[in-house]
Amino acid sequence: MALGGMFRNAAAIYLHLVGPFRGKKSGASLARCLHQTLAMTKRLQARRLDGIDHNPWVEFVKLASEADVVNLGQGFPDFPPPDFAVEAFQHAVSGDFMLNQYTKAFGYPPLTKILASFFGKLLGQDIDPLKNVLVTVGAYGALFTAFQALVDEGDEVIIIEPFFDCYEPMTLMAGGRPVFVSLKPSPNQDGELDSSSSWQLDPTELASKFTSRTKALILNTPNNPLGKVFSRAELELVASLCQQHDVVCITDEVYQWLVYDGCQHVSIATLPGMWERTLTIGSAGKTFSATGWKVGWVLGPDSLLKHLRTMHQNSIFHCPTQAQAAVAQSFEREQLHFGQPSSYFVQLPQAIQRCRDHMIQSLKSVGLRPVIPQGSYFLITDISEFKSKMPNLPGAADEPYDRRFVKWMIKNKGLMAIPVSIFCSVPHQELFDHYIRFCFMKDESTLRAMDKKLQKWKDELRP
Amino acid sequence: MFLARGRLCTLGSRPKFLKTICASKILGLSTSAKMSLKFKNAKRIEGLDSNVWIEFTKLAADPSVVNLGQGLPDISPPVYVKEELSKIAAIDSLNQYTRGFGHPSLVKALSCLYEKFYQNQINPNKEILVTVGAYGSLFNAIQGLIDEGDEVIVIVPFYDCYEPMVRMAGAIPVFIPLRSVYTKEELQVIADLCIKYDTLCISDEVYEWLVYTGNKHFKIATFPGMWERTITIGSAGKTFSVTGWKLGWSIGPKHLIKHLQTVQQNTVYTCATPLQEALAQALWIDIKRMDDPECYFNSLPKELEVKRNRMVHLLESVGLKPIVPDGGYFIIADVSLLDTDLSDMKNSNEPYDYKFVKWMTKNKKLSAIPVSAFCNAETKLQFEKFVRFCFIKKDSTLDAAEEIIKAWSRLKF
């Protein structure tokens, strides 16, 4: 058998091999191998994975693991969780050995109880731990469960750009159609740095996105990557449209405690008429600086949560017990200290605001123009000057500028950030390809290392 | 009441909406048909809301009930497993995100362990995926590889989640009853059919270490022609008696695993870091002593075989007919000889074993799981006289069960 000639036409090869070798048990083992390999080249993956297999993070995470790069890319703290949270986890893993076994599927009871009580007060709702709370594997898992439970083939989901990148593939995997509407910066008058508050939705444009097929709108406040904290007025606009068009609002509020300059986080579920149509998602990882625990939750009316429970019991069923116990104990501690200077929810944003301000000053020194975020772990920075001075950075022909810039910056300046075009729909990439996202949820030593790199960069800029 | 009133006040300028809220809250009617339509569940979960575990664990939650239902060990996990997790809880770097497809030291340990069983090397990054329990692996495999309209053969009785997961993927389950144990010959028949019809095989091997004297576990993926078409699923929970860690794994060829990885990056993205590291350390301890009787993979089945024999003897002694399991930690028994009068049990549409277990839980303070929960609608009748008992229980639990069963039999005979 001349192997060379066989690979010209895969279909013919398949028929050629299958014919003579069907039913043979021994002998032409090589040909049988080929049969199997070729047979397996038929489409294997389910159609629901179409268009969602690409993972933009993989490339950048790989680059960041190279030596001597200061990682300001991915959104996780490089400092420890607070002592009380660490102790809570230690207690959970060394106490009652039955915590090594399954707990209740919809949430470890002390956790659902404290979440109901804590958020009941915050949201001004009577929250039932069994009906209005679902514990999930991170807020990521909560988002997935919500999309799968509610979004059907052909349903439209309104996504506000820039958006945490998983919203689009999750919509697609559920057979939904993402409908994008962009936050846009207001023109900058005085050359001062922009604030994330100046990035706004056009009310008319937003209204035009709602159709009879709109099932849900996904809101993220404080927003990743921009750091915008939606004001009450902005939320009222979204709320009135959701009510008018009978749309479910999925609100991702993982950064709810990380708000700066006296900004207030407002949960849209507290607005009139919204509790019954809102799913409010939170994250222990972001709340207690312990992203590796992967505990999240959804709060909402039973009429919606019952569908998420059905989805949950047919996907992962239970979440790990001990991490839930640690989160429960941590919330119990915070409930005792709520609103006081000793509360982690008071101390953390104060400390991180300093990190934010430090980073903003440092980035300015090399001609980057950060947008001052009102909240979250992140800020975006305008790289337009670099785009005009060095337009031809190495990269693929259609690769957005910000991705090429980030790769260049990692390689040449030892700093890692994330290109903001990752957080946009493909058609709108040019709106955002001159921004990159930095994470300032970092230890002092990391920020000092960043300063060293920036100082070197600044020196290189001098003529 | 107070909150509703508060909200109604602020809606002054919206009479239409005010009317809707008033009517639905005060009259308890769903006046807005439009609203209820929009909040309907997605079709994929239609009809999948009931769940045997939710129903029966609620019943067994009464602390006076001896719970032999859910597969939940009430024995302690091995000391070194608990110790590893304690040590890890003190390491700061393990409190943040790890690699999405599996914590590096864990996939390396899994690769090292399973290479002992497969003829090929296993690439830890491309041929292994760590998931939220074996349940998560099943979900990822089905969502990643099975399309609407595909047929999936399910062997009856089956772990109950297979059917709803297959249906959720829009596929059609085809049920085939099990006639014998999975001997090597039977597995070969299955393998030959998979190869002949170019079918994928998802092999749930969570109880792989729990095989009793005279039996051997065969991995179908090791049969010729099967590696490239098989996903093999394992579970930390069942391996180390730590069901609450919810860590599982899928092992298979990269052209299949990559699709499970795609599902992962769009569902949970990563699993918990400290638990994965602890699991890796526990695995290394036992990988180094695979032939040692102290290795948990050897000591647990020995421990459980004693419990199995005890349960078998106990059930036989009261006229129940247990089917002696060659592996796993469950035993099913035919309860028809007890001839229990269940006529006062409500809900006569339920299969006999559902009613029997509810009656037994309430009246005898002993819980089990009805075996028809592990059957499709058509085969439920065949198994409705069987109930399933879990025996990965401490001696005092089995003592309590023994007391109940003996007292029960004294009433009858």
Side-chain angles (χ1 to χ4, degrees):
Chain A
M1 216 179 308
L3 284 177
M6 291 176 89
F7 289 93
R8 262 180 242 126
N9 185 327
I13 291 163
Y14 185 93
L15 289 169
H16 179 97
L17 286 177
V18 166
F21 296 107
R22 192 176 276 165
K24 269 208 181 168
K25 287 204 168 96
S26 61
S29 56
L30 170 64
R32 190 176 180 199
C33 261
L34 281 172
H35 167 211
Q36 282 148 20
T37 309
L38 290 167
M40 285 281 110
T41 62
K42 78 179 181 198
R43 186 196 167 90
L44 291 163
Q45 73 275 28
R47 281 188 296 273
R48 67 181 66 80
L49 302 191
D50 285 350
I52 66 168
D53 51 328
H54 177 55
N55 185 343
W57 295 93
V58 170
E59 208 184 352
F60 294 99
V61 168
K62 202 162 155 210
L63 285 171
S65 61
E66 329 247 287
D68 206 28
V69 173
V70 179
N71 188 349
L72 303 169
Q74 264 179 298
F76 58 82
D78 62 2
F79 52 79
D83 288 342
F84 67 83
V86 173
E87 277 155 27
F89 190 74
Q90 285 172 325
H91 181 236
V93 305
S94 52
D96 176 8
F97 71 78
M98 285 307 289
L99 291 179
N100 285 294
Q101 307 307 334
Y102 293 130
T103 181
K104 294 282 171 292
F106 305 133
Y108 174 65
L111 178 57
T112 52
K113 184 161 179 256
I114 187 72
L115 288 172
S117 135
F118 193 97
F119 287 97
K121 293 195 187 72
L122 277 182
L123 300 180
Q125 277 292 326
D126 203 354
I127 296 183
D128 180 319
L130 294 178
K131 297 196 170 125
N132 305 124
V133 184
L134 175 67
V135 176
T136 55
V137 177
Y140 217 96
L143 287 161
F144 175 72
T145 307
F147 278 101
Q148 288 282 312
L150 300 172
V151 176
D152 244 324
E153 196 88 28
D155 281 348
E156 291 175 4
V157 176
I158 296 176
I159 300 177
I160 299 168
E161 295 188 282
F163 55 91
F164 180 56
D165 68 296
C166 78
Y167 304 160
E168 183 182 4
M170 285 189 181
T171 300
L172 293 172
M173 191 172 164
R177 196 171 90 74
V179 171
F180 299 101
V181 58
S182 298
L183 285 162
K184 297 190 183 87
S186 313
N188 190 317
Q189 312 289 37
D190 51 8
E192 282 289 306
L193 287 180
D194 257 345
S195 159
S196 58
S197 58
S198 74
W199 285 62
Q200 286 168 6
L201 290 171
D202 177 324
T204 314
E205 188 189 357
L206 177 62
S208 75
K209 302 291 179 179
F210 285 79
T211 71
S212 59
R213 294 291 338 239
T214 310
K215 180 72 188 253
L217 177 146
I218 168 121
L219 178 69
N220 174 216
T221 180
N223 171 283
N224 173 6
L226 180 56
K228 178 183 176 64
V229 173
F230 282 74
S231 67
R232 180 172 293 273
E234 287 169 319
L235 293 177
E236 279 168 355
L237 168 65
V238 172
S240 82
L241 287 165
C242 285
Q243 287 172 53
Q244 193 186 320
H245 296 273
D246 195 23
V247 162
V248 172
C249 180
I250 301 172
T251 175
D252 173 354
E253 302 189 1
V254 298
Y255 300 108
Q256 68 183 118
W257 305 110
L258 287 156
V259 286
Y260 314 118
D261 306 322
C263 215
Q264 288 291 312
H265 167 76
V266 178
S267 286
I268 198 170
T270 59
L271 267 51
M274 288 308 286
W275 169 258
E276 47 260 45
R277 60 179 65 255
T278 304
L279 292 171
T280 304
I281 290 175
S283 155
K286 304 295 193 285
T287 296
F288 295 111
S289 309
T291 59
W293 292 7
K294 288 293 292 186
V295 175
W297 55 83
V298 191
L299 307 168
D302 189 46
S303 55
L304 291 175
L305 274 220
K306 70 182 182 194
H307 302 315
L308 275 73
R309 289 194 293 267
T310 299
M311 183 59 209
H312 181 88
Q313 82 197 19
N314 289 300
S315 54
I316 57 138
F317 207 178
H318 298 85
C319 296
T321 312
Q322 288 142 324
Q324 292 187 66
V327 175
Q329 191 176 317
S330 302
F331 262 110
E332 282 156 11
R333 186 265 182 196
E334 276 300 294
Q335 190 168 60
L336 290 173
H337 293 252
F338 191 70
Q340 295 163 44
S342 54
S343 157
Y344 188 64
F345 302 163
V346 169
Q347 293 177 344
L348 184 67
Q350 281 170 0
I352 303 306
Q353 179 166 328
R354 289 194 287 273
C355 296
R356 177 197 72 163
D357 295 343
H358 176 151
M359 180 178 273
I360 287 171
Q361 292 313 310
S362 300
L363 293 175
K364 275 165 70 175
S365 69
V366 296
L368 291 165
R369 292 186 58 77
V371 174
I372 303 174
Q374 298 158 282
S376 88
Y377 282 1
F378 309 104
L379 57 82
I380 70 172
T381 176
D382 192 335
I383 53 171
S384 302
E385 272 191 39
F386 290 90
K387 193 176 178 188
S388 57
K389 286 185 191 148
M390 332 181 286
N392 301 312
L393 290 178
D398 56 352
E399 196 176 0
Y401 183 78
D402 56 344
R403 296 183 202 205
R404 291 186 270 145
F405 183 86
V406 164
K407 289 184 206 174
W408 170 86
M409 189 174 71
I410 292 173
K411 194 165 166 219
N412 297 283
K413 304 299 173 192
L415 284 171
M416 182 195 172
I418 301 289
V420 170
S421 63
I422 280 180
F423 305 101
C424 307
S425 61
V426 169
H428 295 158
Q429 272 170 359
E430 336 85 59
L431 287 177
F432 297 96
D433 73 351
H434 53 285
Y435 291 103
I436 60 178
R437 183 196 83 171
F438 286 92
C439 174
F440 48 83
M441 187 70 173
K442 302 292 175 190
D443 189 66
E444 250 318 295
S445 60
T446 308
L447 297 176
R448 280 198 296 271
M450 167 193 74
D451 285 342
K452 275 211 182 84
K453 300 285 187 190
L454 288 170
Q455 183 59 50
K456 193 157 173 278
W457 188 345
K458 195 168 147 197
D459 292 341
E460 285 159 13
L461 288 170
R462 285 204 195 105
Chain B
M1 231 352 218
F2 177 81
L3 285 167
R5 241 186 279 135
R7 265 181 272 134
L8 286 173
C9 287
T10 60
L11 287 172
S13 60
R14 294 233 176 81
K16 179 177 170 218
F17 194 71
L18 193 71
K19 185 175 158 203
T20 308
I21 293 279
C22 270
S24 60
K25 285 212 180 310
I26 294 166
L27 299 177
L29 295 173
S30 68
T31 52
S32 174
K34 189 175 146 213
M35 187 181 202
S36 59
L37 265 177
K38 275 289 188 88
F39 284 22
K40 200 167 151 34
N41 49 287
K43 290 191 202 69
R44 68 181 61 82
I45 57 170
E46 191 61 42
L48 305 185
D49 47 317
S50 76
N51 180 291
V52 64
W53 307 108
I54 308 290
E55 205 182 345
F56 284 91
T57 50
K58 224 190 258 179
L59 278 179
D62 174 352
S64 68
V65 170
V66 177
N67 188 355
L68 299 186
Q70 202 186 359
L72 189 151
D74 65 3
I75 58 174
S76 172
V79 168
Y80 58 92
V81 171
K82 292 189 291 183
E83 276 173 356
E84 286 305 323
L85 186 53
S86 277
K87 274 194 257 172
I88 270 132
I91 302 174
D92 175 54
S93 60
L94 297 172
N95 285 307
Q96 307 305 334
Y97 292 132
T98 182
R99 177 177 170 268
F101 303 147
H103 186 57
S105 64
L106 175 56
V107 293
K108 187 147 192 290
L110 288 168
S111 152
C112 186
L113 172 63
Y114 285 105
E115 273 172 0
K116 296 177 194 289
F117 299 94
Y118 291 89
Q119 287 88 6
N120 38 289
Q121 289 205 305
I122 301 176
N123 182 316
N125 293 325
K126 297 197 157 112
E127 294 174 333
I128 299 182
L129 174 66
V130 176
T131 54
V132 181
Y135 220 95
S137 272
L138 287 162
F139 182 75
N140 282 24
I142 291 169
Q143 286 284 310
L145 302 171
I146 293 170
D147 243 326
E148 217 163 296
D150 282 349
E151 289 177 358
V152 179
I153 295 176
V154 177
I155 297 167
V156 186
F158 53 90
Y159 181 60
D160 71 296
C161 79
Y162 301 165
E163 184 180 355
M165 283 191 182
V166 164
R167 291 194 190 280
M168 198 195 300
I172 302 151
V174 174
F175 298 100
I176 300 193
L178 173 70
R179 290 193 205 290
S180 69
V181 195
Y182 287 127
T183 59
K184 194 171 185 192
E185 290 68 34
E186 174 130 299
L187 285 177
Q188 188 63 63
V189 168
I190 294 173
D192 287 345
L193 287 166
C194 285
I195 292 167
K196 181 176 180 185
Y197 292 100
D198 194 23
T199 302
L200 297 175
C201 179
I202 300 173
S203 183
D204 174 354
E205 300 185 8
V206 298
Y207 301 106
E208 59 187 306
W209 310 108
L210 299 174
V211 282
Y212 304 122
T213 309
N215 296 279
K216 187 168 150 66
H217 171 72
F218 293 99
K219 297 179 98 55
I220 199 169
T222 60
F223 287 34
M226 289 306 286
W227 165 258
E228 46 262 50
R229 61 183 66 254
T230 306
I231 299 282
T232 306
I233 294 174
S235 156
K238 305 298 192 274
T239 296
F240 286 114
S241 308
V242 288
T243 59
W245 289 26
K246 285 296 294 192
L247 284 174
W249 49 84
S250 289
I251 297 183
K254 59 181 191 272
H255 58 260
L256 294 180
I257 292 288
K258 75 177 181 194
H259 301 309
L260 279 70
Q261 290 174 335
T262 299
V263 175
Q264 181 98 332
Q265 84 198 25
N266 290 293
T267 54
V268 296
Y269 207 103
T270 68
C271 297
T273 313
L275 294 167
Q276 291 190 70
E277 178 63 30
L279 177 59
Q281 296 306 321
L283 283 168
W284 286 124
I285 289 173
D286 280 329
I287 285 169
K288 293 191 181 106
R289 53 179 189 177
M290 297 285 287
D291 293 327
D292 191 325
E294 290 287 299
C295 170
Y296 201 60
F297 309 154
N298 301 322
S299 66
L300 183 62
K302 287 258 169 329
E303 187 186 341
L304 290 181
E305 189 163 345
V306 174
K307 295 183 195 281
R308 177 199 71 165
N309 294 343
R310 184 182 173 181
M311 276 303 295
V312 167
H313 179 74
L314 175 62
L315 294 169
E316 277 173 345
S317 72
V318 298
L320 290 175
K321 288 209 260 184
I323 295 177
V324 182
D326 294 322
Y329 46 63
F330 302 105
I331 187 165
I332 72 175
D334 183 338
V335 299
S336 48
L337 285 181
L338 288 175
D339 201 24
T340 311
D341 178 9
L342 302 176
S343 51
D344 63 337
M345 293 298 292
K346 286 184 284 214
N347 209 338
S348 55
N349 288 332
E350 277 189 328
Y352 179 89
D353 53 352
Y354 271 69
K355 288 190 280 190
F356 180 86
V357 169
K358 288 180 184 174
W359 177 91
M360 184 173 70
T361 309
K362 188 171 167 221
N363 295 285
K364 297 295 173 189
K365 299 293 186 186
L366 178 66
S367 77
I369 297 289
V371 172
S372 63
F374 304 103
C375 303
N376 58 307
E378 285 73 31
T379 52
K380 278 194 204 293
L381 281 177
Q382 282 173 45
F383 288 93
E384 70 164 354
K385 291 293 165 66
F386 289 91
V387 301
R388 186 195 83 168
F389 295 97
C390 171
F391 55 86
I392 185 163
K393 301 291 178 185
K394 55 188 194 276
D395 287 339
S396 55
T397 306
L398 297 179
D399 291 341
E402 182 166 350
E403 290 232 3
I404 290 169
I405 292 177
K406 288 206 158 131
W408 187 352
S409 74
R410 280 196 288 274
L411 283 176
K412 298 232 37 106
F413 302 115

